[in-house]
Amino acid sequence: MLVYIAGAGAMGCRFGYQLSKTENEVILLDNWSAHIEAIRQDGLLITGDVEDRVQLPIMLPTEATRQADLIILLTKADQLPKMLQDIKPIIGKETKVLSLLNGLGHATTMRRFVPEENIMVGVTIWLAGLKGPGHAHLEGTGSISLQDLTGQVAAVAPIVEMFNQAGLKAQYDENVIQAIWQKACVNGTMNPTCTILDCTIGELFGTESGLNLVQGIFKEFIAVAKAEVGNIDEEGIWKYIMDASKKAASHYPSMHQDLVQHGRKTEIDFLNGAVVFKGKRVGIPTPYCQMVTDMIHTKESILGLR
Ligand code: NAD
């Protein structure tokens, strides 16, 4: 298969690196010039659980010309429309396109560029970081759940198999929307709160008032999720959040890293902001999500990111 990784940042480098160890052809697409230059000159440096350096082709999205068998989307959420616009020439009639971004609403964006029968959505709990241009740091283990929108399980089987050959532990999930909401609940409860409060996940969950905040946001996510997708495992998702908070107690969540540590725009509009938007459509009040979205937007404006 010819596989493009559209957005070769932290996660794109993990996926590109691991998939490059299979018999498939992998091409990275990115527009960060220092990163492109470093990978072209010295290869992609991998540290962490494995130490390696691999030669991987990398180019601007607009430089790619060969139609893809598979495109894996791994930009940040607000960067997705521009990426899809730029890769239109490599999206053929048979090209499958998979989103593994965090957050809600990506299938709607994809429908503007990709035929319904070629869209796949998923969620991953793999982690990755970038230490600098051309240098990805990979630690821990994870998995991928994915589904295609028209239920062509057999057509997607070779893609699931490819991920498993790469050690990425994928499974076809007939109810992936539940997994997407679950991950959004984790991110939506921890990310904006720890970012606004400048605290670790353990510090947030370790106070009664912090836990109240988390519960307030969680109930809004669940109410809107139920309105949108029907049955949702509220108890299971709450348990998942509590388990995740214990495992990652000493960590600052990714939104804190983006906004506070690196001064980058966040994915709030695709988490709590999306819940506010969807809640309005179905008449569900979402004051906690509105408040944290406004606070993150304000900080982004102060930093000149909006
Ligand atoms: P990142 O910022 O490291 O990578 C995004 C990359 O996309 C960047 O290198 C950027 O230059 C590139 N890009 C964006 N728009 C582009 C465009 N129009 N043209 C070319 N290149 C473009 O982000 P990440 O941490 O890899 O996260 C990607 C997605 O995966 C996010 O939705 C994130 O929430 C999710 N995610 C991340 C992790 C993690 O551990 N990093 C874990 C799970 C999920």
Side-chain angles (χ1 to χ4, degrees):
M1 265 191 269
L2 173 56
V3 183
Y4 286 95
I5 311 288
M11 285 299 269
C13 284
R14 173 185 276 286
F15 277 71
Y17 169 66
Q18 291 194 230
L19 289 171
S20 75
K21 300 291 179 186
T22 68
E23 72 270 25
N24 300 284
E25 183 179 356
V26 179
I27 299 178
L28 307 178
L29 302 177
D30 209 281
N31 62 4
W32 178 19
S33 51
H35 192 49
I36 295 175
E37 209 174 300
I39 293 174
R40 281 191 181 152
Q41 202 169 313
D42 302 318
L44 174 63
L45 174 63
I46 302 291
T47 56
D49 292 343
V50 268
E51 309 276 322
D52 203 352
R53 193 183 282 278
V54 283
Q55 290 299 331
L56 266 178
I58 181 162
M59 59 185 76
L60 295 171
T62 47
E63 288 173 337
T65 52
R66 288 161 59 208
Q67 287 197 345
D69 296 307
L70 172 67
I71 300 172
I72 303 171
L73 301 169
L74 277 167
T75 61
K76 293 286 195 186
D78 66 319
Q79 301 166 330
L80 184 60
K82 169 86 169 80
M83 173 60 87
L84 283 163
Q85 180 65 39
D86 285 351
I87 59 173
K88 261 167 93 174
I90 59 167
I91 303 176
K93 280 205 178 84
E94 307 291 326
T95 304
K96 297 277 179 200
V97 185
L98 167 65
S99 162
L100 288 177
L101 279 68
N102 276 337
L104 303 165
H106 304 314
T108 307
T109 307
M110 292 167 78
R111 282 191 185 98
R112 287 163 40 202
F113 302 90
V114 185
E116 182 89 0
E117 65 273 18
N118 289 336
I119 296 178
M120 293 185 292
V121 288
V123 66
T124 178
I125 55 168
W126 286 101
L127 296 173
L130 279 182
K131 292 270 186 194
H135 180 180
H137 194 75
L138 310 182
E139 281 178 340
T141 184
S143 61
I144 306 167
S145 297
L146 61 87
Q147 183 179 23
D148 84 319
L149 293 190
T150 52
Q152 303 167 73
V153 186
V156 172
I159 293 169
V160 174
E161 172 62 22
M162 177 194 72
F163 282 130
N164 287 325
Q165 278 168 9
L168 285 161
K169 297 187 192 158
Q171 59 163 7
Y172 191 88
D173 181 346
E174 283 181 4
N175 191 16
V176 83
I177 193 68
Q178 163 98 16
I180 289 173
W181 271 98
Q182 174 165 290
K183 184 94 190 280
C185 278
V186 173
N187 291 327
T189 49
M190 299 175 186
N191 278 13
T193 38
C194 288
T195 305
I196 294 161
L197 296 166
D198 194 12
C199 69
T200 62
I201 293 165
E203 285 168 339
L204 175 72
F205 279 73
T207 64
E208 202 183 319
S209 48
L211 206 51
N212 280 345
L213 272 174
V214 167
Q215 275 167 338
I217 295 170
F218 172 72
K219 284 189 187 318
E220 293 176 6
F221 267 73
I222 292 297
V224 173
K226 279 183 178 162
E228 185 168 290
V229 300
N231 194 24
I232 199 122
D233 178 11
E234 179 172 349
E235 212 175 295
I237 296 179
W238 178 252
K239 187 178 174 308
Y240 185 83
I241 292 174
M242 293 308 287
D243 287 349
S245 76
K246 286 184 192 113
K247 279 188 206 136
S250 63
H251 290 254
Y252 290 93
S254 59
M255 189 178 288
H256 184 281
Q257 292 169 27
D258 282 340
L259 191 64
V260 179
Q261 298 172 31
H262 301 120
R264 294 175 59 178
K265 203 162 171 235
T266 71
E267 295 184 304
I268 192 77
D269 290 337
F270 302 86
L271 295 165
N272 309 70
V275 169
V276 173
F277 179 77
K278 289 169 185 289
K280 277 185 186 148
R281 278 202 317 215
V282 291
I284 294 174
T286 54
Y288 279 95
C289 285
Q290 181 74 67
M291 169 75 94
V292 295
T293 302
D294 286 344
M295 290 180 87
I296 296 292
H297 280 172
T298 306
K299 188 68 183 172
E300 288 175 340
S301 296
I302 291 166
L303 293 174
L305 303 169
R306 301 184 72 80

